[in-house]
Amino acid sequence: MTVDTAVESPSLPHPGRTPASMIERMTLILDTFDGPAPMRTLVEVAERTGLPRSSVHRIIDQMIRLRWLAHAPGGYRLGTRALELGGLAIEHNEIRDVMGPLLHELCRRTGMVAHLGVLDGPEVLVIDKAVGRGADFLPTRLGGRLPAHCTAVGKALLATLSPGVVELAFPARLPRRTPQTIGSRAALHRELDLVRGHRGVAIDRAESLADVVCVAVPIRAGGHGGIAALSLSGRVGGENRPAASELARILVEAADEAVCAVNTALRRR
């Protein structure tokens, strides 16, 4: 998984501009459920977002079906999916503490760069990185982000979500970073089906940077889907590098070990 530090997070719409994408509209609607009021009416959501009431009603119906929102007496409230993900944000630091030694062990065994990443909307956020002696230089950093559809970590985590969530989170056409980048939502769905059929193992085939390949697997712990993902990255044609199948085996074993460690840490909270 690679991250271009020059990539910025997508900003919310400027005042006076109608947001074009579904993810922008969903974000605006979720942002109305801030402050002490746990419930909002349809009229309140429309007024606070500036979106047409008919559009708000249609989007809310979809968000209720996907558990981002739920019905409340006289209006709507945050759904269980939003509350679950909010709880996961608190867990990120604990996950990083638990996973640090495992990342360094992966570097030692493979001579590659190891990353620990989480999904933040349609992006991947790097929460830890380890570089072994002699490993390739990669332009990645803690806190770096990249669109999830073109990284192994992103695809490993997206494959743990329902297709309906992916459908809402991504536009029909996806931005390309290299000639190998997945360019459409339909192709992304097909790729995620393949990932699900291979124990969650995802591969970045020079899709993020033209000369970098990566293998990743999700970590399923704490009663959630994929709370984070482990990856190993290196330059194309690197010497003495394990084959992709061997990297997948190493990562699956590491993820199984990580589940036990993370679940133990979460139970101590």
Side-chain angles (χ1 to χ4, degrees), residues 90-109:
I90 299 173
E91 296 171 0
H92 286 171
N93 285 340
E94 295 183 34
I95 293 170
R96 181 181 171 185
D97 290 342
V98 170
M99 297 300 300
L102 184 55
L103 287 185
H104 287 285
E105 175 61 16
L106 288 172
C107 288
R108 187 194 65 78
R109 292 181 62 185

Side-chain angles (χ1 to χ4, degrees), residues 43-162:
V43 172
E44 288 173 332
V45 173
E47 290 177 347
R48 288 167 66 92
T49 61
L51 297 172
R53 190 181 303 184
S54 59
S55 295
V56 170
H57 189 268
R58 183 178 67 255
I59 296 170
I60 284 179
D61 279 347
Q62 296 179 58
M63 294 175 75
I64 289 173
R65 189 176 69 253
L66 296 170
R67 298 191 296 113
W68 289 109
L69 296 176
H71 288 290
Y76 309 95
R77 59 173 175 78
L78 289 176
T80 56
R81 187 183 297 277
L83 297 176
E84 288 167 359
L85 293 181
L88 290 181
I90 299 173
E91 296 171 0
H92 286 171
N93 285 340
E94 295 183 34
I95 293 170
R96 181 181 171 185
D97 290 342
V98 170
M99 297 300 300
L102 184 55
L103 287 185
H104 287 285
E105 175 61 16
L106 288 172
C107 288
R108 187 194 65 78
R109 292 181 62 185
T110 65
M112 300 178 71
V113 179
H115 293 92
L116 180 66
V118 297
L119 201 59
D120 186 11
E123 296 181 310
V124 165
L125 171 66
V126 177
I127 63 173
D128 206 357
K129 172 184 177 179
V131 181
R133 179 177 299 178
D136 296 322
F137 169 77
L138 299 180
T140 58
R141 63 178 177 85
L142 298 183
R145 294 172 180 269
L146 197 71
H149 71 277
C150 61
T151 66
V153 163
K155 290 188 284 185
L157 290 171
L158 289 174
T160 69
L161 304 177
S162 71

Side-chain angles (χ1 to χ4, degrees), residues 14 17 19 32 36 41 44 51 53 67 76 90 93 96 108 129 147 151 170 192 215 241 246 259 264 268:
H14 296 293
R17 180 175 75 82
T32 66
T41 65
E44 288 173 332
L51 297 172
R53 190 181 303 184
R67 298 191 296 113
Y76 309 95
I90 299 173
N93 285 340
R96 181 181 171 185
R108 187 194 65 78
K129 172 184 177 179
T151 66
F170 292 91
L192 298 182
V215 180
R241 179 180 302 153
E246 177 64 11
V259 167
T264 298
R268 291 172 180 167

